[in-house]
Amino acid sequence: MEKDQSHILRRLFFSTLYLSAFTFGGGYVIITLLKQKFVDELHWIDEEEMLDMVAIAQSSPGPIAVNGAIVIGYKLAGVPGILVSVLGAVIPPFVTLTVISFFYSAFKTNYYIQHLLSGMTAGVSAVIISVVWDMMNGVRRNKDALLMAVMVIAFVANYFLKINAVYIILATAAFGAVRTYINAKKHPREGGAP
Amino acid sequence: MIYLQLFFAFMQIGAFSFGGGYAAMPLIESQVIDRYGWLTRADFADLVTIAEMTPGPIAINAATFVGNLTAGIPGALCATTGLILPPCIFATVLAYLYKKYKDLSLMQGILQSLRPTVVALILTAGLRILIPAVFADGTVSPAAGNVNVRTVVYFLAALLCLRKWKISPIKVMVGCGVAEVIVSLVLG
């Protein structure tokens, strides 16, 4: 992690800019791409920290892509990191939408653009499913049945019952707090941080 | 003054849209259509279509689009700045608290439980994109004519490229798009 600040900032800006330009289909896509970049490729952030950051991004108001850029920028380079990564995340949609607002009717009916976007949807889903697969294996490695149950319940609540993600996160946080409290009472010596 | 109105209207959207993406849509509707009349319902439907077809969060797309239509590029800048200001403040404070307290055992316990939840949320987001793309009517029913075979093929090919050959996600995504353009030209 001992790299000079300007190198990190430049890398941060171009990564968020590049990823944001290709993020079709919502905030989680950019989060999975940021994970690929900063966890798998650059190794600047570890996988568990990344999941914590997604929870933070999800718990703040506003677009998840912007929040994700903020927490990663802050983690890697403090406040200058936030400015750089938010700018990188915002510029591509800003430019795209400004251009499109001038040429909307031609854009909407363009044959090539329609097919390009429909094909890219399949690719986007494959990227997300692949990243989720890795993350699930990460959770499974804990060999903790309760955590597996949390994962299944959260999925059912979000996907089938369509419960707002914020409530699911708050409920899980409360569960984690209670569980830690009970464990600390049962094993007072293991109560400290690992 | 239009610039200030844009700024504050989108600041409210930014401050109250918890849960990202589609959570922001009712807020955008209430400010942009009902309160200020900057867009008609038909414009708003167009905006949602554009937002789905282009990169970037829907709220940023909306801010840029509405700002441009009502007050040109300066308007788009005011609306977008207003939108991202509250999340910048909230997320920075949370990121700071995380950095400061993440080694406390209580924080550790909470974060450990949150990780599987986050995985589940991401899986949901992925399926919400995949399933409408594969099944024409949006429900999982493998009837003939309902399954988009081409999308299934691209999806499986993309998965193979990602898992087996470790090709970069962006190349895989663009590759799927280009493949669909070529296939649609050949097959009509």
Side-chain angles (χ1 to χ4, degrees):
Chain A
M1 288 294 291
E2 283 302 312
K3 297 176 195 71
D4 64 296
Q5 183 86 350
S6 72
H7 170 77
I8 293 182
L9 289 178
R10 215 175 315 128
R11 200 71 191 248
L12 205 52
F13 177 73
F14 286 109
S15 302
T16 49
L17 184 81
Y18 183 60
L19 296 180
S20 176
F22 287 96
T23 308
F24 296 82
Y28 282 111
V29 181
I30 195 171
I31 296 245
T32 50
L33 293 174
L34 286 170
K35 189 233 168 217
Q36 287 260 354
K37 185 83 193 170
F38 289 107
V39 179
D40 302 338
E41 195 183 319
L42 297 174
H43 304 289
W44 288 2
I45 299 173
D46 71 48
E47 187 162 335
E48 297 211 321
E49 264 183 320
M50 186 69 207
L51 285 171
D52 298 342
M53 288 180 183
V54 179
I56 294 173
Q58 177 68 267
S59 319
S60 307
I64 294 173
V66 172
N67 295 343
I70 291 169
V71 289
I72 287 174
Y74 182 77
K75 148 87 189 160
L76 293 177
V79 173
I82 297 177
L83 294 176
V84 158
S85 56
V86 168
L87 214 55
V90 170
I91 287 173
F94 187 86
V95 172
T96 317
L97 259 286
T98 300
V99 173
I100 288 176
S101 65
F102 294 127
F103 304 104
Y104 179 49
S105 54
F107 180 85
K108 196 166 67 169
T109 50
N110 186 285
Y111 177 86
Y112 298 100
I113 288 180
Q114 279 179 346
H115 283 278
L116 187 72
L117 293 171
S118 102
M120 283 178 78
T121 306
V124 169
S125 345
V127 171
I128 299 187
I129 298 296
S130 170
V131 168
V132 166
W133 181 256
D134 290 335
M135 287 176 157
M136 274 182 175
N137 282 334
V139 172
R140 233 177 34 202
R141 252 177 268 132
N142 288 325
K143 294 197 175 11
D144 184 335
L146 259 176
L147 290 186
M148 294 299 288
V150 166
M151 189 156 69
V152 174
I153 293 168
F155 176 70
V156 171
N158 193 216
Y159 187 78
F160 292 106
L161 307 178
K162 299 188 168 57
I163 294 172
N164 189 322
V166 177
Y167 300 130
I168 300 175
I169 288 198
L170 289 176
T172 318
F175 164 81
V178 170
R179 192 182 182 203
T180 312
Y181 178 75
I182 293 171
N183 278 348
K185 278 210 147 178
K186 263 195 257 169
H187 316 281
R189 294 201 152 266
E190 292 166 31
Chain B
M1 190 183 152
I2 184 74
Y3 297 122
L4 283 178
Q5 283 180 344
L6 282 167
F7 182 83
F8 285 113
F10 278 94
M11 198 169 89
Q12 284 183 40
I13 295 168
F16 294 108
S17 58
F18 284 91
Y22 293 97
M25 285 181 44
L27 290 162
I28 298 169
E29 271 186 286
S30 79
Q31 292 285 332
V32 166
I33 304 175
D34 303 336
R35 184 152 173 220
Y36 290 107
W38 286 323
L39 293 186
T40 63
R41 299 247 155 227
D43 290 334
F44 186 72
D46 278 353
L47 168 64
V48 175
T49 316
I50 304 177
E52 275 170 8
M53 284 169 25
T54 56
I58 179 163
I60 291 188
N61 288 347
T64 310
F65 190 73
V66 173
N68 267 310
L69 287 187
T70 52
I73 290 177
L77 282 173
C78 289
T80 307
T81 312
L83 176 79
I84 62 173
L85 198 62
C88 280
I89 295 168
F90 278 100
T92 305
V93 170
L94 285 180
Y96 169 77
L97 293 175
Y98 167 70
K99 200 173 167 187
K100 197 162 176 202
Y101 294 113
K102 76 171 174 188
D103 293 330
L104 285 181
S105 66
L106 180 64
M107 192 67 153
Q108 284 284 330
I110 292 173
L111 290 173
Q112 198 194 27
S113 314
L114 278 180
R115 284 171 200 143
T117 298
V118 171
V119 175
L121 296 178
I122 298 179
L123 176 62
T124 301
L127 292 178
R128 292 233 168 103
I129 295 173
L130 178 65
I131 287 174
V134 169
F135 300 100
D137 67 356
T139 59
V140 185
S141 51
N146 190 31
V147 180
N148 186 340
V149 179
R150 256 140 73 177
T151 304
V152 176
V153 172
Y154 302 139
F155 173 77
L156 294 175
L159 216 49
L160 195 66
C161 291
L162 290 164
R163 309 285 321 171
K164 188 139 190 238
W165 297 304
K166 312 272 178 219
I167 297 172
S168 95
I170 291 186
K171 283 183 195 149
V172 171
M173 277 154 51
V174 175
C176 285
V178 172
E180 166 63 15
V181 170
I182 294 168
V183 169
S184 70
L185 284 174
V186 172
L187 298 181

